[in-house]
Amino acid sequence: EAGVAQSPRYKIIEKRQSVAFWCNPISGHATLYWYQQILGQGPKLLIQFQNNGVVDDSQLPKDRFSAERLKGVDSTLKIQPAKLEDSAVYLCASSLGNEQYFGPGTRLTVT
Amino acid sequence: KQEVTQIPAALSVPEGENLVLNCSFTDSAIYNLQWFRQDPGKGLTSLLLIQSSQREQTSGRLNASLDKSSGRSTLYIAASQPGDSATYLCAVTGSNYQLIWGAGTKLIIKP
């Protein structure tokens, strides 16, 4: 069984630029999550999808972050414009029941 | 509101020692508890998952216990090796199947 795929693995951008991350969940997993993990902290949930609908985006900074899950499969997370404090690892996870499976993450550095 | 705490924040021990990492949570209404390993700048590797009805899980040199009534879990690592050096995170699954995370314990095993 293929795992959760994410790309790119690393990204370096300047502040005020835009960036997009892509996630392909495990086949058949209805629920998809995006997390932000700042160095030295646990992951913070940004958004949770159930199929192509949003379950929870209460911690998503909507003035600059957006996410979509068209057709209930792949998902993209976008930041526009980026700030220095957005430097973090962005993790995607998917689940069918109560266990989440994580991708390798995208490490974003904003300079 | 569920809160997860991990103590200690950092731990350094000589190779070969047995060690215990601690995780506590404030709300016993959980579906499960997971222990993860994270290497610097990398994604998350799930080590052990304990369902709410279980008391412990074992995998190789790792043993995790769960006491829901007291809101505690421990991760026991036997005969530690330098390759065990990483950050260990615990997370509980609560409502909406969302994970609530601790901040992690950074473990260093000295050769």
Side-chain angles (χ1 to χ4, degrees):
Chain A
E1 174 182 88
V4 177
Q6 288 187 248
S7 67
R9 293 295 310 278
Y10 305 92
K11 189 75 176 179
I12 301 174
I13 61 172
E14 296 181 351
K15 59 184 179 183
R16 291 187 290 274
Q17 286 186 326
S18 62
V19 64
F21 312 128
W22 174 81
C23 173
N24 181 236
I26 293 173
S27 177
H29 282 196
T31 310
L32 185 146
Y33 310 79
W34 282 102
Y35 293 88
Q36 178 194 60
Q37 187 180 20
I38 293 171
L39 187 64
Q41 300 180 16
K44 180 181 85 171
L45 179 68
L46 293 176
I47 190 167
Q48 177 185 354
F49 291 95
Q50 180 75 17
N51 296 309
N52 60 350
V54 176
V55 174
D56 186 349
D57 63 357
S58 58
Q59 298 194 89
L60 186 73
K62 298 179 186 65
D63 58 334
R64 298 183 302 106
F65 286 64
S66 64
E68 61 182 9
R69 191 183 184 196
L70 299 176
K71 301 179 182 178
V73 181
D74 293 7
S75 177
T76 56
L77 176 69
K78 297 179 182 177
I79 308 174
Q80 182 179 9
K83 293 184 176 181
L84 295 176
E85 58 261 36
D86 297 332
S87 294
V89 176
Y90 290 84
L91 297 161
C92 178
S94 69
S95 71
L96 190 57
N98 64 8
E99 183 175 0
Q100 294 183 28
Y101 297 83
F102 285 81
T106 297
R107 186 174 189 178
L108 174 67
T109 303
V110 182
T111 63
Chain B
K1 179 184 174 184
Q2 178 75 271
E3 293 184 1
V4 179
T5 304
Q6 291 187 247
I7 295 173
L11 181 63
S12 179
V13 300
E15 179 179 4
E17 282 199 4
N18 303 323
L19 57 98
V20 174
L21 306 181
N22 296 293
C23 174
S24 62
F25 48 96
T26 55
D27 186 349
S28 62
I30 62 172
Y31 286 106
N32 59 47
L33 182 144
Q34 283 185 266
W35 283 93
F36 293 86
R37 169 184 174 141
Q38 188 170 39
D39 293 283
K42 301 288 182 64
L44 296 160
T45 301
S46 179
L47 298 173
L48 291 164
L49 180 147
I50 312 175
Q51 299 290 355
S52 62
S53 58
Q54 297 174 323
R55 297 281 294 183
E56 65 176 345
Q57 282 287 339
T58 298
S59 175
R61 294 183 294 109
L62 305 179
N63 176 275
S65 68
L66 174 64
D67 184 341
K68 266 185 39 175
S69 60
S70 66
R72 293 181 191 175
S73 176
T74 61
L75 178 66
Y76 175 83
I77 303 177
S80 59
Q81 302 170 358
D84 295 330
S85 297
T87 295
Y88 291 80
L89 294 127
C90 76
V92 297
T93 301
S95 61
N96 281 338
Y97 292 151
Q98 292 183 3
L99 284 168
I100 312 300
W101 297 82
T105 294
K106 185 175 182 179
L107 177 64
I108 297 174
I109 307 299
K110 297 175 288 187

